[in-house]
Amino acid sequence: MNDMSTSTVTEDGRTIGGVMMEMRNITLRFGGVVAIKDISFDIREGEIRAIIGPNGAGKSSMLNVISGFYHPQEGEVWYHGARRKAMKPYQVARQGIARTFQNIALFDGMSVLDNIMTGRINHMSSSFLDQAIWWGKAQREEVEHRRKAEEIIDFLEIQAIRKTPVGRLPYGLKKRVELARALVAEPKLLLLDEPMAGMNVEEKEDMSRFILDVNDEFGTTIALIEHDMGVVMDLSDRVVVMDYGKKIGDGSPDEVRQNQEVIDAYLGVAHD
Amino acid sequence: MFYREAGDFKTTYAADNQTFPIAFDRWRYWAVLFVAVFVIPLVINDYWANALLIPFLIYAIAAIGLNILTGYCGQVSLGTGGFMAVGAYATYKLMTAFVWMDMVTITLLSGLITAGVGVLFGLPSLRIKGFYLAVATLAAQFFLVWIFNRVPWFYNYSASGQINAPERMMFGVPVTGPNAEVWVKYLFALGFVIVLSWVARNLTRGSVGRQWMAIRDMDIAAEIIGVNPLKAKLTAFAISSFFVGVSGALLFSIFLGAVEVGEAFGISKSFLVLFMVIIGGLGSIFGSFAGAAFMVLLPVVLKIVGVDMFGWPTDIVQHLQFVIVGGLIVFFLIVEPHGLAQLWRLAKEKLRLWPFPH
């Protein structure tokens, strides 16, 4: 294992910094059901971290803990070297954590542009009165943030649909718009819950390219859940493997691939 | 032919964001405004003002208010009548307690008071949604009407239990009371409509409006990206109630003049405004106007056609109105949930290419 306190350089020349987020002995229960059992792992600055595991392993629950949706009964979440108190999701968002959802959660009644502009909310500060009379700061701010939104629109190549109501878009584009909405917030940590679920090969390739570009160009740290092993092994720097709420593996894709417990979890194990 | 985008290039984001991006729409808007402000006051008469124009303007404000809450923020409210009553009684108390105060200030203050009451009754929305919230606001409706009936302080211990708008002057002419002329009342209401619809448009186009719509469309995702649901919902309740309160204040002070709360601000008023919003179009400022115009116009047109032209009995025509409104509500909910505003939008889409089909 690498020394966690110093930065390292990957084979492809990206710099991975110190620990950004650390989960310490997280346990999450829903009544009698234990969704996450005493799991610890960390996410380092600038890396792409994958969380994998069979269905029902507790991956999405883990993401929900990070984004403040669930509050674990035991354990601590450390972020940028400080212990995080129990927070509401919108407070977590203000700390620079953005996410996408497994089953797309866009604002269907709004246009693509409005969806993306909503993602800028944490950067907007014009007062209510300013907005009511649409003068000075409110107007300036709208244009300023529109510029940022357009950058992301260019980046994700969705220029042609910017005024289309989201409800009319096909699935693959919706996923992309959702990524845009998360990206436009300029998050430090981006959580992607199955960004490639239900996509064909071409769409998966596009999405993989965008994920790598985001990480490379913006230096965004990414934690993702994905079922497509090929994608996971290609994209990620380190992988956490979960099964039945427990961590059964953690390390580079190669290490994880060799891990006997992981192989058992995925392929099953013979009972004698 | 003249309704075209071609050649109308946008070179700045500000120009791309404007309310009427097509030049023809812009001109039409200014033309309508010009006629409303400078022409109509000269030609207005008592019948048209009292039967159509003034109620249309006043209900348009209420419809915009409810549309902000229900259409933009997705919180159903059946308490509109009750909140209008708050505006009306606040106006009455202010008019009688502070005789020197001008009507604009009084009306705005009534709006503010209603906003406060609205926030109070909006608190349950943080816990409950949809149908259950509708029932909670229904409770507000009945409670408010009850309290204005039961506490004599609100109607200054008058024997009849009614409130009456005393005469108040503005710029040397009476605005309220029996001596006020219709063109003054009309212009007074129009001023509020112009300013408030402009404010509503500003709020719904910017960050506040996007937060409301985010809560409406997917509250969980809204919270995840940083919308504070408490703040978004309560501001929607506050702004909405402000509009509704101003509308109630105007309905009492310049239109009805004398009000008995159960009769003027009963549950049927809540439904009237809700129907305006549904028929006009949820989530559209223009729809609020269209809905208000429709609901004000319908009985007048029916009366002219049914009673005057065909000589049907009045009660039949009145019941016909219920049938038509009921049928239209069902029609719009099934066929076009975004109401007249959406039909208007579709017509404009078609018009952009007319006479070519594509």
Side-chain angles (χ1 to χ4, degrees), chain B residues 164-185:
Chain B
N164 289 288
E167 184 169 292
R168 290 287 176 272
M169 313 287 275
M170 260 187 88
F171 304 113
V173 285
V175 192
T176 61
N179 297 323
E181 289 189 61
V182 286
W183 67 269
V184 183
K185 295 179 179 179

Side-chain angles (χ1 to χ4, degrees), chain B residues 9 29 33 35 46-48 58 68 76 80 148 164 169 183-184 187 190 227 248 253 312-313 323 343 351:
Chain B
F9 299 114
Y29 167 74
L33 213 57
V35 170
D46 274 18
Y47 174 72
W48 286 107
I58 292 173
I68 285 177
V76 184
T80 318
F148 289 131
N164 289 288
M169 313 287 275
W183 67 269
V184 183
L187 277 181
L190 183 67
V227 177
S253 65
W312 296 338
V323 174
L343 295 181
L351 218 87

Side-chain angles (χ1 to χ4, degrees), chain A residues 19 41 53 62 65 72 84 189 220-222 260:
Chain A
V19 173
F41 68 96
M62 187 52 111
V65 168
R84 196 172 82 181
L189 175 60
T220 312
T221 309
I222 295 173
Q260 190 55 45

